[in-house]
Amino acid sequence: MFLDIGFSEEEAERELLRVDLAFAIHGLLKEVKLTPAKASKRFGLDPNDVKRLKKMNFEYFTVERLLVILKKLNRDVEIHIKPSNEKGRHLRVVTT
């Protein structure tokens, strides 16, 4: 997807990882059904971040910032490093 619009392979992997993380957070926020103000109070998140994530506006978020938000949402994040059999995409998010 990102390769098609001119990103290098490394940039495309990073962008896809960032979008995968943001989309997982979007799903969690949708699941808890809280307003941005209530999500901010309950999880210590910036209300503007919550608004952006709910609107799927992910451009302001780095991978690191998204990991911090997941931690505030009381989620464990595990990173597994293993040899890859695939060509191309090597970074991915699997949610459970």
Side-chain angles (χ1 to χ4, degrees):
M1 164 171 53
F2 289 103
L3 289 172
D4 296 340
I5 58 173
F7 283 85
S8 71
E9 187 174 329
E10 183 179 310
E11 291 170 324
E13 286 182 356
R14 185 178 53 250
E15 289 302 305
L16 191 54
L17 176 62
R18 191 174 63 84
V19 169
D20 284 347
L21 289 169
F23 193 71
I25 293 168
H26 170 76
L28 290 169
L29 291 172
K30 190 174 178 181
E31 187 179 298
V32 295
K33 298 179 184 176
L34 297 175
T35 65
K38 288 181 181 178
S40 173
K41 189 172 185 175
R42 181 171 169 188
F43 298 112
L45 299 173
D46 181 317
N48 292 319
D49 285 347
V50 176
K51 288 176 190 175
R52 286 184 191 110
L53 289 163
K54 283 188 162 202
K55 291 181 180 180
M56 296 182 69
N57 180 0
F58 307 144
E59 67 183 286
Y60 297 101
F61 298 95
T62 62
V63 169
E64 293 82 7
R65 189 168 174 200
L66 293 166
L67 291 171
V68 168
I69 291 170
L70 282 165
K71 181 179 176 184
K72 287 183 177 187
L73 289 169
N74 198 31
R75 294 298 187 260
D76 291 330
V77 177
E78 297 179 6
I79 298 172
H80 297 267
I81 300 171
K82 63 180 185 169
S84 176
N85 296 340
E86 300 177 31
K87 286 188 176 182
R89 185 171 174 216
H90 301 286
L91 301 174
R92 66 180 184 175
V93 174
V94 179
T95 59
T96 56

